[in-house]
Amino acid sequence: MIENDDFALFQDAVKGTKKIEQNTFVPKTEPKKKVSEIRAQKEHADTLFYFSDEYEPLLTEENEKVRYRREDVDPYILKQLRRGDFHPELFLDLHGLTREQAKKELASLILACERERVYCASIMTGYGTKALKYQIPRWLVQHPKVIALHQAPREWGGDAAILILIEQPRNNEAFRR
């Protein structure tokens, strides 16, 4: 609360000043982006950067069972994936999606695996026209966080699904935001 002495001192200090009219500067105010918009932009950037349709990787396919591992990963990990030693914690069902929708969903899945510290995830491609079943592994091998993938064992979807392993950060600093 302002006391009378303080108010009198203030009036004495500003005596003779002229009020400035603010009519020339209009501050630019941009609405803050919602978290969902920022996430959508990140996913879109990931799909454009990592998931090229023209890239043709050297994937190992035995009896139409696709598999891949990064060069710096132990080859034994593919055997573990094939046997079902890894249990997926996240599942992505791509039935009925277009190629562009599937790309966005893959980027979302990888981002969710990073944020939730999920090492193994399952991507259900289905049978259908096999367009996505053929293309998804080719997109996944382009992403630097995917360390291995293999056709899922029967209990996790069999020929209609792919298990992927996502690289996790080594320290806790990456998750403090």
Side-chain angles (χ1 to χ4, degrees):
M1 185 169 176
I2 301 175
E3 295 185 20
N4 289 337
D5 291 341
D6 291 335
F7 190 67
L9 281 172
F10 175 74
Q11 283 186 330
D12 194 34
V14 295
K15 191 181 287 183
T17 59
K18 182 174 149 184
K19 185 176 180 181
I20 298 174
E21 187 176 327
Q22 207 291 9
N23 63 1
T24 57
F25 176 74
V26 177
K28 293 182 182 177
T29 57
E30 294 181 19
K32 290 187 178 184
K33 293 183 179 180
K34 294 180 181 176
V35 173
S36 59
E37 291 175 13
I38 294 170
R39 182 177 153 227
Q41 286 177 346
K42 169 88 171 106
E43 291 166 2
H44 181 68
D46 278 356
T47 60
L48 293 177
F49 181 73
Y50 294 121
F51 302 140
S52 168
D53 290 329
E54 284 84 35
Y55 180 71
E56 191 62 39
L58 292 172
L59 286 173
T60 308
E61 294 187 30
E62 291 179 6
N63 302 329
E64 294 188 30
K65 299 210 183 293
V66 67
R67 62 185 183 160
Y68 159 82
R69 71 171 174 84
R70 240 174 26 197
E71 291 179 5
D72 62 335
V73 176
D74 183 7
Y76 184 67
I77 208 160
L78 290 176
K79 185 175 184 178
Q80 290 176 304
L81 274 170
R82 180 179 49 83
R83 288 190 318 207
D85 291 350
F86 295 102
H87 300 279
E89 295 178 56
L90 289 179
F91 293 84
L92 175 63
D93 188 355
L94 298 176
H95 288 94
L97 297 184
T98 65
R99 291 169 71 96
E100 289 306 310
Q101 290 170 329
K103 279 184 184 182
K104 288 179 185 175
E105 291 299 321
L106 285 175
S108 297
L109 175 70
I110 293 170
L111 191 61
C113 287
E114 286 181 89
R115 290 212 172 128
E116 302 295 323
R117 298 183 190 199
V118 171
Y119 186 59
C120 183
S122 175
I123 302 166
M124 290 165 267
T125 60
Y127 297 103
T129 63
K130 296 191 179 183
L132 286 179
K133 182 178 173 61
Y134 174 81
Q135 191 61 43
I136 285 169
R138 283 149 181 80
W139 288 332
L140 289 170
V141 300
Q142 297 175 51
H143 201 287
K145 295 290 183 179
V146 176
I147 60 173
L149 64 87
H150 199 288
Q151 200 72 46
R154 177 171 280 150
E155 65 266 20
W156 300 116
D159 291 341
I162 297 171
L163 290 185
I164 63 171
L165 298 180
I166 303 295
E167 181 179 38
Q168 298 299 313
R170 296 180 194 268
N171 60 13
N172 293 336
E173 295 300 318
F175 290 98
R176 293 184 187 165
R177 295 178 198 208

